[in-house]
């Protein structure tokens, strides 16, 4: 379980995280959202020990994360950063096998191989396991890296924008995979996503940051409201419910908002007044 | 060769019948050549297919590459030791000493280059390109310049070597540790910093040499240019010890494999990246110091050795790439030294030959990496 206490991080004079405190619940998907530069990736990087905070503490299972040994923490938390370089010549299976490194120290036993097989199977990449990484498409490569994280077999998984540059089919299938993992194994996944609808449809909780400050931590049900979205992302939108999922429509919304505005001012009708723009 | 379009264009421009005849002759000539070429390639196709099959076979078995490279090295070592050996009793001993120096340098350069490229994640960077050798020469000159005369220990070659080695480790940690461990700074920034530092230290060195007493200067002058001809046994033993110590400091091959996935992935997999970077830098500093004192500066040797090793060994595993780089480096040096002695007979500097081919290869690598980016 992650607990963030008064984390502050500055890049030069710019404050990226400003005294952020929150705790993440276990056994669910939590989405970190916010506009560009809101500090969500920075927060995740600090939790994954990729970056050092200027002040504040990260507690993991009630203990300061700094007090854990690197290998110990690698058996409990697996993290994947936004873009991964792949300039080494390595096959899919070999890369996924790296996930076993904290447990096996590079000497793979039978049970390690079994877990690797399972992870490959789970991300549906068993058929391409002997291909080289540089022969794959962006979506396939992302699946391979997630399979590596799964092979690490940790209770906590931190993912920084795993859906970057992926098409609809790829990103929805990856999210469905993650959802299944949490439902079946009760793992905890904390994920930075850009797409608010993706956060709404697949996660139990949404954490929103704005200008380095925590704005809201709520369930998608409570989160997906027009005034909340306006506050966090500074866009006008409409919320719709489709099959129990709340969807936010924010494209080409300002125009409609303006039209409503005109109606409201010309008639002063009460119907519009209680509808926030 | 002119293409059909170009030929027809030329025909349209000039219409004299004589030239017309010539053009058609040329065309027939080319078509004949083309036909012959096709027959040859058809004839050779099975051979090419076999070569590809052999390539694929070897590609899956990296150890086989090591065996082949080792065989080639042994062949050239035998040639190097015994070809045209005279009646002089010390000739074999002298040649073996030179050989020992060559192997020591190959180990240092191959090992340090591969681990350095692993931690920087860039295949065009080598410790030499980033100016490690120039820093080392600067420190040696500085020791002589500042302390010689007052401390007798520094006057000896060995004493100077040991002290400058320690200074070298500290110095390279100060400069390169922040660059390597605080996230990815990008290859080109590192390259730029390296070039600036390398030039700066080279200039400082020559400035101090200008001020220094010429007799003292003679002791380090030999270091500046690659030469295997006068190896000093005591120095070789000390430097061999330091090299072994340096290699002992490096992270294990399996850990290096994880580090090659990049800083963040390595951290996520439980590797203390900062400590690993520190250890790699100490290793590199030690090995560069050893290779520079034994042979002098051979700027592009590491680049050739490591990159050819990656090309031969189609695996990311350091347990294969490091020995391969060492073997390639050793082959290049033994062959170079052998041909220098037997073919050119004059005693030209081996660094010149290796830097010539290495420089061309460096440009080739740069161009290829740009092509890949596109």
């Amino acid at each position: 379980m992650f607990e963030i206490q008064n984390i502050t991080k500055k890049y030069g004079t710019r404050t990226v995280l400003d005294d952020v405190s929150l705790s993440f619940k276990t056994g669910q998907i939590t989405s970190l959202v916010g506009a560009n530069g809101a500090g969500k990736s920075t927060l995740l990087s600090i939790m994954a020990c990729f970056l050092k905070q200027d002040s504040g503490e990260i507690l993991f299972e009630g203990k300061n994360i700094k007090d854990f040994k690197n290998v110990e923490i690698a058996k409990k938390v697996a993290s994947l950063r936004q873009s991964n370089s792949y300039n080494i010549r390595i096959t899919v299976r070999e890369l996924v096998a790296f996930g076993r490194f904290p447990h096996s120290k590079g000497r793979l036993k039978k049970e390690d191989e079994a877990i690797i097989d399972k992870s490959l199977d789970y991300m549906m990449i068993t058929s391409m396991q002997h291909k080289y990484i540089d022969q794959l498409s962006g979506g396939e490569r992302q699946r391979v890296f997630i399979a590596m994280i799964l092979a690490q077999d940790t209770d906590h998984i931190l993912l920084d924008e795993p859906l970057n540059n992926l098409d609809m089919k790829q990103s929805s299938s990856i999210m469905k995979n993650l959802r299944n993992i949490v439902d079946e194994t009760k793992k905890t996944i904390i994920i930075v996503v850009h797409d608010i609808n993706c956060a709404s449809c697949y996660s139990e909780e949404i954490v929103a940051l704005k200008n380095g400050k925590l704005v809201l931590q709520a369930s998608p049900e409570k989160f997906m409201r027009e005034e909340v979205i306006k506050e966090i992302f500074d866009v006008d939108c409409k919320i719709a419910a489709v099959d129990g999922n709340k969807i936010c429509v924010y494209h080409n919304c300002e125009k409609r908002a303006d039209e409503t505005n005109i109606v409201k001012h010309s008639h002063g009708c009460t119907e519009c007044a209680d509808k926030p723009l | 060769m002119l293409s059909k379009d170009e030929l027809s264009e030329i025909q349209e421009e000039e219409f004299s019948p004589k030239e017309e005849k010539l053009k058609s002759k040329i065309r027939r000539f080319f078509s004949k050549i083309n036909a012959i070429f096709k027959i040859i390639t058809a004839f050779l196709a099975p051979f090419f297919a076999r070569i590809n099959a052999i390539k694929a076979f070897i590609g899956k078995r990296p150890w086989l590459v090591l065996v082949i490279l080792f065989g080639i090295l042994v062949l050239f070592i035998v040639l190097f030791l015994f070809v045209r050996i005279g009646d002089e009793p010390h000739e074999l001993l002298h040649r073996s000493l030179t050989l020992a120096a060559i192997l020591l340098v190959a180990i240092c350069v191959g090992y340090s280059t591969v681990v350095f490229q692993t931690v920087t994640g860039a295949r065009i960077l080598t410790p030499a390109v980033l100016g490690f050798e120039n820093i080392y020469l600067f420190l040696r000159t500085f020791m002589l310049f500042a302390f010689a005369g007052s401390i007798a220990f520094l006057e000896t070659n060995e004493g100077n070597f040991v002290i400058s080695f320690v200074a070298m480790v500290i110095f390279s940690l100060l400069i390169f540790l922040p660059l390597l461990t605080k996230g990815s700074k990008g290859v080109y920034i590192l390259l730029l910093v390296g070039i600036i530092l390398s030039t700066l230290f080279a200039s400082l060195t020559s400035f101090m040499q200008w001020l220094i007493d010429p007799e003292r200067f003679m002791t380090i002058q030999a270091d500046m240019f690659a030469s295997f001809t006068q190896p000093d046994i005591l120095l070789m033993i000390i430097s061999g010890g330091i090299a072994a110590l340096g290699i002992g400091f490096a992270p294990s091959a399996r850990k290096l494999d994880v580090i090659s996935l990049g800083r963040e992935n390595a951290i996520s997999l439980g590797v203390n990246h900062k400590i690993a970077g520190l250890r790699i830098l100490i290793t590199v500093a030690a090995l560069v110091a050893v290779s520079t004192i034994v042979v002098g500066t051979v700027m592009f040797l590491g680049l050739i050795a490591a990159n050819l090793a990656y090309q031969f060994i189609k695996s990311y595993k350091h347990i294969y790439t490091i020995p391969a780089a060492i073997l390639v480096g050793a082959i290049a040096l033994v062959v170079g030294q052998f041909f220098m002695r037997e073919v050119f007979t004059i005693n030209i500097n081996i660094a010149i030959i290796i830097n010539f081919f290495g420089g061309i290869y460096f440009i080739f690598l740069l161009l290829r990496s740009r092509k890949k980016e596109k």
Side-chain angles (χ1 to χ4, degrees):
Chain A
M1 192 186 114
F2 273 103
E3 207 158 320
I4 316 292
Q5 291 182 342
N6 310 94
I7 291 287
T8 299
K9 173 79 187 170
K10 285 176 186 164
Y11 290 137
T13 52
R14 205 167 77 88
T15 308
V16 187
L17 288 174
D18 189 2
D19 199 23
V20 174
S21 299
L22 72 135
S23 67
F24 290 95
K25 294 194 188 83
T26 51
Q28 63 177 32
I29 297 182
T30 307
S31 296
L32 274 170
V33 300
N36 286 340
K40 47 196 193 312
S41 281
T42 308
L43 180 61
L44 203 80
S45 292
I46 291 173
M47 288 164 66
C49 302
F50 297 163
L51 278 177
K52 255 195 196 147
Q53 67 271 34
D54 294 332
S55 64
E57 307 290 348
I58 305 266
L59 298 186
F60 179 71
E61 293 177 344
K63 212 167 125 189
N64 194 327
I65 204 159
K66 273 188 232 153
D67 299 337
F68 283 92
K69 276 187 183 162
N70 291 53
V71 181
E72 247 180 275
I73 204 82
K75 287 179 187 168
K76 293 178 173 177
V77 183
S79 7
L80 189 63
R81 83 180 180 136
Q82 223 170 79
S83 56
N84 283 285
S85 58
Y86 35 87
N87 57 3
I88 54 172
R89 205 172 153 70
I90 187 170
T91 65
V92 169
R93 193 183 174 85
E94 287 169 333
L95 184 64
V96 174
F98 268 117
R100 298 307 299 161
F101 185 78
H103 307 272
S104 67
K105 291 275 156 284
R107 290 180 190 82
L108 295 178
K109 296 187 202 94
K110 261 186 190 160
E111 56 260 41
D112 294 315
E113 300 283 356
I115 292 174
I116 293 164
D117 283 331
K118 219 172 106 188
S119 315
L120 286 168
D121 202 37
Y122 217 101
M123 294 313 288
M124 297 176 287
I125 48 175
T126 310
S127 59
M128 55 178 96
Q129 60 172 319
H130 297 301
K131 273 193 181 172
Y132 282 94
I133 291 292
D134 49 10
Q135 298 169 328
L136 305 181
S137 73
E140 290 168 335
R141 205 176 289 139
Q142 195 62 278
R143 308 184 85 87
V144 176
F145 276 103
I146 293 174
M148 177 178 92
I149 294 292
L150 288 183
Q152 210 173 326
D153 198 23
T154 55
D155 288 339
H156 289 70
I157 296 172
L158 310 178
L159 300 171
D160 193 355
E161 296 203 27
L163 310 180
N164 231 357
N165 298 322
L166 298 189
D167 61 25
M168 281 193 283
K169 188 183 167 197
Q170 294 277 9
S171 51
S172 65
S173 94
I174 284 183
M175 284 313 291
K176 270 177 216 150
N177 282 147
L178 296 180
R179 190 65 253 171
N180 286 341
I181 291 163
V182 171
D183 291 341
E184 287 168 19
T185 61
K186 282 286 154 212
K187 284 180 195 285
T188 308
I189 297 183
I190 301 169
I191 178 171
V192 171
V193 280
H194 242 114
D195 181 1
I196 184 73
N197 292 328
C198 169
S200 161
C201 295
Y202 294 102
S203 53
E204 273 98 345
E205 196 168 49
I206 300 177
V207 173
L209 294 174
K210 189 182 182 185
N211 298 330
K213 284 195 170 123
L214 177 69
V215 185
L216 185 68
Q217 179 173 16
S219 65
E221 190 63 30
K222 284 182 189 154
F223 190 91
M224 295 300 278
R225 281 181 302 168
E226 284 156 20
E227 68 269 25
V228 173
I229 304 291
K230 171 83 183 163
E231 160 76 23
I232 291 163
F233 294 96
D234 197 25
V235 287
D236 295 304
C237 72
K238 290 272 190 307
I239 302 292
V242 180
D243 287 348
N245 292 319
K246 281 204 166 178
I247 301 293
C248 159
V249 181
Y250 48 89
H251 287 296
N252 209 7
C253 239
E254 294 86 346
K255 211 168 124 194
R256 262 175 277 156
D258 282 344
E259 281 163 12
T260 335
N261 226 355
I262 293 162
V263 173
K264 186 177 147 192
H265 285 296
S266 53
H267 300 291
C269 76
T270 48
E271 231 179 70
C272 307
D274 57 20
K275 258 192 198 167
L277 297 173
Chain B
M1 222 194 278
L2 289 169
S3 70
K4 268 184 190 169
D5 288 351
E6 280 172 291
L7 274 176
S8 60
E9 235 172 64
I10 296 170
Q11 276 172 13
E12 275 167 29
E13 277 170 21
E14 299 157 55
F15 241 83
S16 77
K18 249 189 190 173
E19 286 194 5
E20 174 68 15
K21 243 184 185 173
L22 192 72
K23 294 276 153 59
S24 66
K25 252 187 185 173
I26 290 175
R27 219 179 310 154
R28 254 178 287 156
F29 178 67
F30 277 131
S31 67
K32 257 182 200 165
I33 285 186
N34 205 2
I36 292 170
F37 198 70
K38 265 182 192 164
I39 291 168
I40 292 174
T41 46
F43 189 70
L44 286 180
F47 290 98
F48 279 121
R50 197 160 294 168
I51 286 173
N52 280 337
I54 291 171
K55 257 187 175 172
F57 181 80
I58 292 175
K60 281 178 194 147
R61 290 162 185 80
W63 53 269
L64 206 57
V65 181
L66 292 185
V67 172
I68 293 168
L69 286 175
F70 188 72
I72 296 172
L73 179 62
V74 169
L75 176 75
F76 276 102
I77 284 178
V78 171
L79 283 180
F80 178 78
L81 285 180
F82 299 111
V83 164
R84 282 208 299 172
I85 192 155
D87 293 331
E88 267 184 71
H90 293 299
E91 184 63 14
L92 188 62
L93 178 74
H94 184 78
R95 285 186 181 184
S96 330
L97 270 181
T98 307
L99 183 69
I102 285 175
L103 294 182
L104 182 61
V105 166
I107 290 170
C108 290
V109 170
Y111 201 103
S112 64
T113 307
V114 172
V115 295
F116 191 73
Q117 293 190 339
T118 293
V119 76
T120 52
R123 294 196 165 168
I124 52 166
L125 293 185
T126 68
V129 171
L130 286 196
F132 270 69
E133 291 176 352
N134 284 333
I135 292 175
Y136 175 71
L137 286 177
F138 161 76
L139 288 168
R140 285 207 62 164
T141 318
F142 181 75
M143 294 289 164
L144 270 187
F145 178 70
F147 302 114
S150 52
I151 309 165
F153 178 59
L154 283 174
E155 296 268 359
T156 65
N157 211 5
E158 290 81 17
N160 190 309
F161 169 52
V162 171
I163 299 293
S164 3
F165 156 69
V166 173
M168 170 81 187
V169 171
I170 297 168
F171 216 73
S172 53
L173 286 184
L174 281 179
I175 297 174
F176 288 104
L177 195 60
L179 279 174
L180 290 189
T181 49
K182 276 196 180 162
S184 49
K185 281 284 192 301
V187 179
Y188 293 103
I189 300 255
L190 261 179
L191 191 57
L192 197 65
V193 170
I195 286 166
I196 292 169
L197 285 178
S198 156
T199 319
L200 172 73
F201 285 112
S203 324
L204 281 175
T205 309
S206 49
F207 176 63
M208 272 189 294
Q209 283 161 2
W210 195 59
L211 297 174
I212 221 165
D213 171 9
E215 267 181 40
R216 267 194 210 127
F217 173 58
M218 290 296 282
T219 56
I220 40 170
Q221 199 190 19
D223 285 1
M224 316 218 125
F225 308 103
S227 158
F228 289 103
T229 44
Q230 293 289 320
D232 172 345
I233 297 180
L234 178 63
L235 201 66
M236 291 247 301
I237 292 169
I238 296 177
S239 45
I242 287 183
L245 211 71
I247 289 174
F249 241 101
S252 70
R254 289 199 169 92
K255 225 174 221 179
L256 286 169
D257 293 343
V258 177
I259 292 168
S260 63
L261 292 181
R263 178 176 174 270
E264 277 79 8
N265 284 324
I267 292 174
S268 170
L269 291 170
V271 170
N272 190 333
H273 192 264
K274 204 170 184 180
I275 301 240
L278 187 87
R279 285 166 64 173
I280 287 175
L281 268 181
I282 291 175
T283 306
V284 168
L287 295 181
V288 168
V290 168
S291 84
T292 316
I293 193 162
V294 174
V295 64
T297 56
V298 192
M299 188 157 174
F300 288 115
L301 179 64
L303 191 90
I304 303 179
N307 281 291
L308 285 180
Y310 301 139
Q311 256 178 30
F312 296 151
I313 302 269
K314 299 207 176 334
S315 165
Y316 63 94
K317 286 182 179 150
H318 286 77
I319 202 130
Y320 299 122
T321 52
I322 291 175
I326 292 171
L327 288 172
V328 171
I331 291 170
L333 286 175
V334 172
V335 170
Q337 198 74 15
F338 176 71
F339 277 97
M340 252 170 56
R341 198 182 65 202
E342 300 300 330
V343 181
F344 300 113
T345 56
I346 38 159
N347 199 4
I348 56 163
N349 195 327
I350 189 172
I352 294 172
I353 300 173
I354 287 181
N355 281 345
F356 175 70
F357 289 110
I360 293 171
Y361 190 54
F362 183 65
I363 292 167
F364 164 74
L365 286 176
L366 274 179
L367 289 177
R368 201 180 58 174
S369 72
R370 268 194 51 185
K371 220 183 208 173
K372 258 188 193 169
E373 271 169 29
K374 274 176 193 169

